Structure formats: structure tokens, C-alpha cells
Amino acid sequence: MTQFSALDAKMMALAIRLAEKGQYTTSPNPNVGCVITDAQGNIVGQGWHQKAGTPHAEIHAIAQAGERTKGATAYVTLEPCNHHGRTGPCSEALLKAGVKRVVAAMVDPNPLVAGSGLQKLCDAGVAVSSGLLEREAMALNLGFIKRMKTGMPWVTVKLASSLDGKTALNNGESQWITGPLAREDVQRHRAQSCAILSGSGTVLADNPSLNVRYSELGFAKNEIAEVNLRQPVRVLLDGRNQMRPNLHLFSLSSPIVIINSQPNTAEFPDHVEQYQAYSNGAQLDLHDVMKHLGQRGFNQIWVEAGAKLAGALLQNKLIDELILYQAPKLLGDKGRDLFAVDELTQMQQAFELQWQDVRQVGPDLKLTARFT
């Protein structure tokens, strides 16, 4: 096992913090950070990947370091790429720069790389190692890792409920169960996602925009322009073709994908496209839906839906993570439930999750759990 120094850990931790800067902009690429140090351990260059099609983290760090890359060590949160895409291979750039040691937090799960970047460096005489702060690096790119390994995106279902587990009153009123800080936190998760998915029932009932309100996240206008923040694609499941162009979300210009079983002949704006998924009548094949979203390069799907769609995703085992915002309110036994699922008759049929995080957001609790 490779032995890493305290300096190695410090530099990789910095690289991870740099990678986090790309969480709103890099999709469908992973978040990556890079730090370059000279022989004395002084930082001479650092960078992070900002947007697909632009230079990778290593290129930014090399450019900042200049001639000081000769004999240097590069710390990178993800194995340097070794293939030609919209940018050239970072492995070649590191060799040309004269780097003598490369430490990667993790091997790239992309089949086009998958160890070949580190192997190329090693074959050229560069000292290479991986696995430093690997768990932290993987947490940066859960969706990218899953999509590279399975072709499917990472799916997070967001729900908001009262303390007694109700998402709305019996008449459907639900605004607002949770407080403004919880809703602001939702905006942050939306911004980090490649797509926001909802069903026709929720859209027709609430007439939402399903976009990211960056103004609520404290970004200055010049900062938004600088990093080119994006709007996630809005994905609407509409097996019965109930969507109509006069709904509020169609007035916003960011992309929308309507997924149905038969084309909807209504005249939607140009930024709306349709995809016909496999179906059983009006019931869309949710596995086909997620496979299609993975093929589009979507790493993370953020789901805001009612009990019916949430229950269908649950029963099809398509949810990776559940985030529940729970307010200190009681709505009574007539309120609407979180999930609509078939009745369970034995305790071993229960859906089991593992807690990841529990914290207070304003007056509300934010509960994060993942399926085992």
C-alpha cells in the first residue's frame, strides 16, 4: 500500500475543495481539482474544471505553474484523462510539462480512461499513486461514477413533509410546509443536478417553474456571468399527454424534455423536445426513462414529484438517495402521504435505507438517506 505524507493529504484536500467549485457548471463532466507543488512542497499552480469543453483542472494548474512544473508533483482528484475528446489528454500535458510525480485520489471509472492515464504516466517514468482521500473524491462525483459504471444516473428524490409524514392537506394545499431556508437548500440541490424530473400530476397541480433561482443562493451577477451557471434540463413524465403549452414552466427558455408514450401534438416552444419511452398503456417504463437520461449524459437527477411517481420509482428500485425536509407541523391523518406503494404484508418487505446526514435547516429537519 502506498504511504502518503501529511503534505500529500493537505494538498489533496485542497484539490478537493477546488473541485467543489465546479459543482454547478461541469455537467456532464465530473468535478475535478488539481494542485501542483515544487520539490519543496510549495504550491506553484492550481486549477479546477469549470465547464465541459473547456480546459481540465490539470491544464489550468499547469498554465499557472509555468516552468515550475518541471520536477513537480501534481495532485488531482480524478485520474488524468488519456483520450481525445473536446480537449486533449491531460496525461500528455503533464508529461510535456515535466511533472515527475502524480497523485490521484481515484481511478477514472470512464471506460475510455480506466487506469490508462496513470499507466501512460508510469510507463514514461513518472511516479504515480492513487487512493489518497478516495472516499471524499468519490463523493464529489457520485452521479458520474454511477453513469460510467451502469449507464444510469444517480437519482435523488426530494420530499417535504410534516412531522406526521404528510406532504399536503387532503385538498392538495402544500405551500408551504417547510420554511424559506429549506426551500433555499432545495435550490442548491437543483443547481447541482443535471436534470429536474417531475410528473404531469405535480406540474398540473402546482404549475411550478422547476428552474434554479440563483438569486436565492447569494451569487452576485458578475459571479454568475463569470462561471456561466446553467439551468438543469427539466424532464416531465407525461404518459397521458396532459401537458399544455400555457403552463408556466414552458414560458422559461431553459430546455425541457417531455417523456411520453405517444407524441403530444400540442404546439410547444422550440426549447421543448419529446421522447417516447416504452410503456404499458399510459404507464411509462421508468427503467427505459432512466436509461435514456443516462444516454443523454445526465449524471444526477433531482426528482420533485408526488406520491404516485415517488412510489413508482421506489418500487422499481430506481432511487439512490432520499432527501426529506420535515417541518415541525402536524397535518392530521387525512393529509396526503409521501409514497403511494403497494401494501406491504411482512416486515422484511420494508424498504431499507442508511442514514447519511441529519441536520437542522432553519426550523426544519433535513434527513438524507440512501438505499442499501
Side-chain angles (χ1 to χ4, degrees):
M1 177 181 290
T2 303
Q3 295 296 316
F4 297 107
S5 67
L7 176 64
D8 291 337
K10 180 180 179 180
M11 293 301 106
M12 188 61 77
L14 174 57
I16 287 173
R17 291 197 297 275
L18 289 168
E20 291 172 348
K21 291 176 176 287
Q23 61 186 320
Y24 301 112
T25 61
T26 62
S27 173
N29 286 3
N31 301 311
V32 183
C34 178
V35 175
I36 297 177
T37 62
D38 62 18
Q40 289 72 45
N42 301 309
I43 297 173
V44 296
Q46 50 187 304
W48 52 281
H49 183 44
Q50 299 178 22
K51 185 179 179 181
T54 67
H56 290 184
E58 297 94 320
I59 307 304
H60 286 296
I62 290 170
Q64 189 179 102
E67 291 298 316
R68 294 174 294 178
T69 56
K70 290 182 170 56
T73 296
Y75 299 89
V76 60
T77 58
L78 185 69
E79 173 190 6
C81 64
N82 192 42
H83 64 288
H84 288 271
R86 285 193 275 180
T87 59
C90 290
S91 55
E92 289 184 5
L94 289 167
L95 287 174
K96 185 177 180 179
V99 169
K100 292 302 181 185
R101 180 180 179 230
V102 173
V103 181
M106 60 175 289
V107 173
D108 192 336
N110 187 340
L112 295 175
V113 186
S116 65
L118 291 176
Q119 188 61 52
K120 182 172 185 174
L121 292 164
C122 183
D123 292 344
V126 176
V128 301
S129 54
S130 64
L132 176 60
L133 300 187
E134 182 178 39
R135 182 180 298 178
E136 292 82 352
M138 292 179 68
L140 287 169
N141 294 298
L142 292 173
F144 176 77
I145 294 169
K146 183 184 177 185
R147 183 170 65 85
M148 289 297 105
K149 291 183 175 181
T150 69
M152 303 282 273
W154 179 273
V155 178
T156 299
V157 170
K158 166 261 174 182
L159 295 165
S161 82
S162 60
L163 195 58
D164 51 350
K166 304 301 180 181
T167 63
L169 298 175
N170 189 43
N171 63 8
E173 183 179 347
S174 63
Q175 296 181 344
W176 297 101
I177 291 178
T178 55
L181 290 180
R183 299 198 296 274
E184 178 182 307
D185 195 60
V186 168
Q187 293 300 312
R188 195 171 304 277
H189 281 289
R190 284 184 177 184
Q192 292 169 346
S193 301
C194 303
I196 301 169
L197 184 146
S198 191
S200 57
T202 296
V203 173
L204 291 171
D206 298 340
N207 199 18
S209 61
L210 295 178
N211 67 333
V212 180
R213 298 187 291 276
Y214 279 108
S215 60
E216 296 182 13
L217 298 180
F219 292 107
K221 288 185 178 180
N222 60 343
E223 185 179 2
I224 293 175
E226 179 183 348
V227 297
N228 198 17
L229 296 172
R230 58 179 176 77
Q231 285 289 344
V233 176
R234 292 167 292 169
V235 178
L236 312 177
L237 304 190
D238 187 23
R240 293 183 174 84
N241 279 344
Q242 300 180 88
M243 294 291 96
R244 293 294 177 263
N246 61 350
L247 289 165
H248 176 61
L249 51 76
F250 293 115
S251 68
L252 304 177
S253 61
S254 57
I256 292 176
V257 178
I258 298 175
I259 299 183
N260 46 29
S261 56
Q262 298 292 329
N264 189 328
T265 58
E267 294 185 6
F268 292 102
D270 291 341
H271 62 277
V272 178
E273 63 176 287
Q274 300 186 48
Y275 169 77
Q276 281 72 59
Y278 294 118
S279 66
N280 178 14
Q283 299 298 316
L284 299 176
D285 184 328
L286 294 177
H287 287 275
D288 182 54
V289 168
M290 291 304 171
K291 182 179 178 181
H292 174 70
L293 298 181
Q295 290 171 342
R296 294 180 70 104
F298 294 162
N299 297 322
Q300 294 173 273
I301 307 298
W302 177 257
V303 180
E304 297 189 22
K308 184 176 180 180
L309 177 54
L313 291 169
L314 177 64
Q315 291 195 299
N316 279 275
K317 298 182 179 179
L318 289 171
I319 303 175
D320 297 290
E321 182 176 65
L322 174 66
I323 294 181
L324 172 64
Y325 297 91
Q326 194 166 46
K329 300 175 181 177
L330 300 173
L331 300 187
D333 64 341
K334 298 296 190 296
R336 298 188 178 184
D337 293 326
L338 288 166
F339 292 96
V341 297
D342 296 337
E343 181 182 2
L344 306 182
T345 58
Q346 298 178 346
M347 188 57 68
Q348 58 261 38
Q349 295 175 310
F351 302 94
E352 295 190 10
L353 301 92
Q354 292 181 341
W355 292 117
Q356 301 297 312
D357 188 59
V358 177
R359 67 181 63 194
Q360 190 165 346
V361 182
D364 307 311
L365 291 180
K366 178 185 180 183
L367 311 175
T368 303
R370 293 176 186 164
F371 285 83
T372 57

